[in-house]
Amino acid sequence: MHVVNEDELHDEFFPSIPSPEDSARWQAPTDLEQHLYKLSRRDNGYAYLRTLATEGVYYPVRLDHAREAAEDEHPMLTVDTSDGRVVAQVYTAGVLPRPHPYLVYEYATLGMLAHIVPDHVDVLVVNAATPCEQYFLTDADERDVWLDLHTELFAPDDLMDRVITRRTRVPGPGPLLHGLACGAHLCFRNGDAWNTAHWHGMGYRGEVERISRDWSVHSREDWLRIQEDLLERELSSSFWNHVLEARAMPLRGANGSTDHWRDSVEASLHARARQTGTPTDDTRFRRLVAEARELVGTILRYEARFRADGLLPPDGIVRSAAAWDIGRASKMARWGLGARYATETEAHTALERASARARTVYRSWEEFSAGYILGRCLHFDEEHFGSWYTTVLDAHRELTTDPDSPWLTVPFSTP
């Protein structure tokens, strides 16, 4: 089901960015467009193409056409000009407009364009109606150049693990920007601009496939359910946070030791069982208690490694793993918009709720990050300290040191 809010209908189908009065001072949306602007002013079309070959582009498609297309079909809007030529428009990520309820953008590499631009198209215009626009013919020789550059330069891994920050058309300080920053770990890993609320992601088809493959989200109803579960911190194990919270429980004879924490966990499980009428003398309950006591040791070992790697201060602990759900909720809101399962209003509301949840539990981005990493490790890593850990450790280090990182530019205590 496709839901459209009437107040979200608009006529911003394609980008339109006026040229600056002072051509030397244009502030591009991202570093990519700034670089393309310099190349276009120098009329260096080949270097411009080389840049596109590393990043890829987006092309507009009617939503109904995109939904009806077979896997090997790539519908593309084209424009007939007054001089009888046919033009296809493509854009880099930074200039893409506000998502439209009936128009989407699909992602393509330069190599893909060589195959999918219709044969009757005469001209490919990149970033039309922006200061960094550039035109290319689409004949066979030109397409061969695109294919050669794609083979030489395109490396998907190079598009990941990087901080990308938009300079223009971003939310001002407040819950929406803070909610976007809560997804910084995933934005870094996926190579997405962390502060764009006008989400297109991997393109319409890519976003639909992403949340279908990774999240079993196949409809608007699926998205609404999983978005709510993430925001309410119910998708990951509540067992983890129950164990973490038990560390602070007062207990007669407490001495702050590991055994005290284990005893606190066991006492809390017995108290909960009494409240719910759960039997405590059966094998299932005894197994639960044993798992909880064992989890204490697992968390302590992770925290020791976190302190050794600088994720935590020398005396630091992780108070909650809720950030694992909250951070994913921040990205799920954007993925839902990209797949057109969510309206823009719903996505932005979810981001603001993610912000509120984060500020309820944590006091800093560093605390939030440690909670996110612990949740990811408990979910995937099994104390191997392999790539499930090292990739987010690298992300944490970049996000806490890169001057453009949201964690250095967005105050955590946003009101």
Side-chain angles (χ1 to χ4, degrees):
M1 180 175 63
H2 182 216
V3 175
V4 177
N5 285 349
E6 290 299 317
D7 61 351
E8 292 181 8
L9 290 172
H10 59 87
D11 58 3
E12 191 179 348
F13 296 99
F14 309 114
S16 180
I17 302 174
S19 295
E21 294 182 6
D22 183 349
S23 60
R25 295 182 179 273
W26 182 54
Q27 177 61 75
T30 73
D31 293 345
L32 171 61
E33 287 79 26
Q34 199 77 57
H35 180 60
L36 293 176
Y37 178 56
K38 293 178 181 178
L39 296 176
S40 64
R41 291 183 66 208
R42 297 170 185 165
D43 198 24
N44 192 337
Y46 185 69
Y48 194 107
L49 275 177
R50 290 182 66 87
T51 303
L52 297 183
T54 66
E55 294 283 343
V57 293
Y58 296 77
Y59 59 92
V61 187
R62 279 177 39 174
L63 177 58
D64 56 343
H65 289 175
R67 283 184 165 157
E68 295 165 3
E71 187 175 350
D72 60 347
E73 294 178 333
H74 302 275
M76 180 182 298
L77 285 177
T78 60
V79 176
D80 296 328
T81 65
S82 58
D83 60 1
R85 291 187 295 177
V86 180
V87 174
Q89 304 156 252
V90 299
Y91 303 90
T92 52
V95 304
L96 291 177
R98 176 186 174 189
H100 192 279
Y102 299 116
L103 184 80
V104 295
Y105 283 82
E106 297 282 23
Y107 174 79
T109 65
L110 192 60
M112 283 180 60
L113 285 183
H115 297 295
I116 68 175
V117 171
D119 292 339
H120 66 279
V121 168
D122 302 298
V123 177
L124 181 77
V125 55
V126 184
N127 291 341
T130 77
C132 57
E133 71 179 10
Q134 191 79 12
Y135 295 81
F136 300 93
L137 297 176
T138 60
D139 56 33
D141 289 342
E142 182 69 19
R143 293 181 193 233
D144 285 343
V145 172
W146 301 351
L147 287 169
D148 290 343
L149 289 176
H150 171 82
T151 301
E152 176 191 352
L153 298 171
F154 186 71
D157 288 350
D158 291 346
L159 303 181
M160 303 170 66
D161 299 322
R162 55 184 184 169
V163 175
I164 297 183
T165 300
R166 288 186 59 99
R167 316 289 185 195
T168 62
R169 300 184 69 195
V170 297
L176 179 56
L177 187 67
H178 189 275
L180 290 167
C182 288
H185 260 294
L186 279 165
C187 286
F188 177 85
R189 178 59 179 158
N190 296 333
D192 299 321
W194 67 267
N195 59 340
T196 178
H198 299 323
W199 187 258
H200 297 275
M202 298 169 63
Y204 170 73
R205 184 177 297 189
E207 295 298 275
V208 170
E209 291 176 351
R210 185 211 305 261
I211 55 177
S212 172
R213 178 189 65 243
D214 298 342
W215 293 86
S216 298
V217 171
H218 309 290
S219 66
R220 170 174 167 78
E221 290 71 28
D222 288 343
W223 176 81
L224 287 167
R225 172 185 51 78
I226 206 160
Q227 182 71 71
E228 190 65 21
D229 286 348
L230 286 167
L231 287 169
E232 293 301 322
R233 295 159 286 178
E234 294 177 350
L235 200 64
S236 61
S237 176
S238 60
F239 187 54
W240 303 341
N241 286 323
H242 182 85
V243 171
L244 285 164
E245 290 163 4
R247 175 156 43 188
M249 285 180 55
L251 192 68
R252 184 175 298 174
N255 58 12
S257 68
T258 301
D259 285 340
H260 160 239
W261 184 8
R262 290 191 174 100
D263 292 342
S264 296
V265 172
E266 183 169 349
S268 69
L269 290 174
H270 277 276
R272 177 180 290 184
R274 288 193 295 271
Q275 292 172 355
T276 60
T278 302
T280 60
D281 57 354
D282 63 1
T283 302
R284 181 182 302 176
F285 183 79
R286 287 194 293 270
R287 186 183 303 119
L288 178 67
V289 169
E291 290 174 357
R293 295 180 70 94
E294 183 179 343
L295 182 58
V296 169
T298 299
I299 292 171
L300 286 169
R301 288 187 290 275
Y302 271 117
E303 289 177 334
R305 178 65 178 267
F306 289 4
R307 287 190 284 270
D309 289 337
L311 278 171
L312 288 173
D315 58 349
I317 62 172
V318 179
R319 295 185 298 110
S320 172
W324 174 234
D325 275 355
I326 297 169
R328 294 184 297 167
S330 173
K331 284 308 292 279
M332 183 57 70
R334 285 169 270 193
W335 292 334
L337 178 58
R340 295 303 191 271
Y341 295 143
T343 67
E344 188 175 61
T345 298
E346 288 169 336
H348 290 187
T349 298
L351 285 160
E352 292 173 352
R353 289 178 63 193
S355 167
R357 297 292 191 272
R359 288 180 286 110
T360 298
V361 179
Y362 300 101
R363 296 168 297 189
S364 69
W365 288 120
E366 289 80 6
E367 272 195 5
F368 179 88
S369 180
Y372 179 93
I373 293 172
L374 179 63
R376 177 182 167 99
C377 288
L378 292 176
H379 192 111
F380 291 117
D381 184 61
E382 298 180 344
E383 291 194 79
H384 293 149
F385 296 98
S387 61
W388 288 113
Y389 171 63
T390 57
T391 53
V392 280
L393 172 62
D394 292 342
H396 175 91
R397 288 170 171 167
E398 288 292 329
L399 289 166
T400 53
T401 58
D402 189 302
D404 282 338
S405 166
W407 296 354
L408 296 181
T409 57
V410 178
F412 189 82
S413 57
T414 298

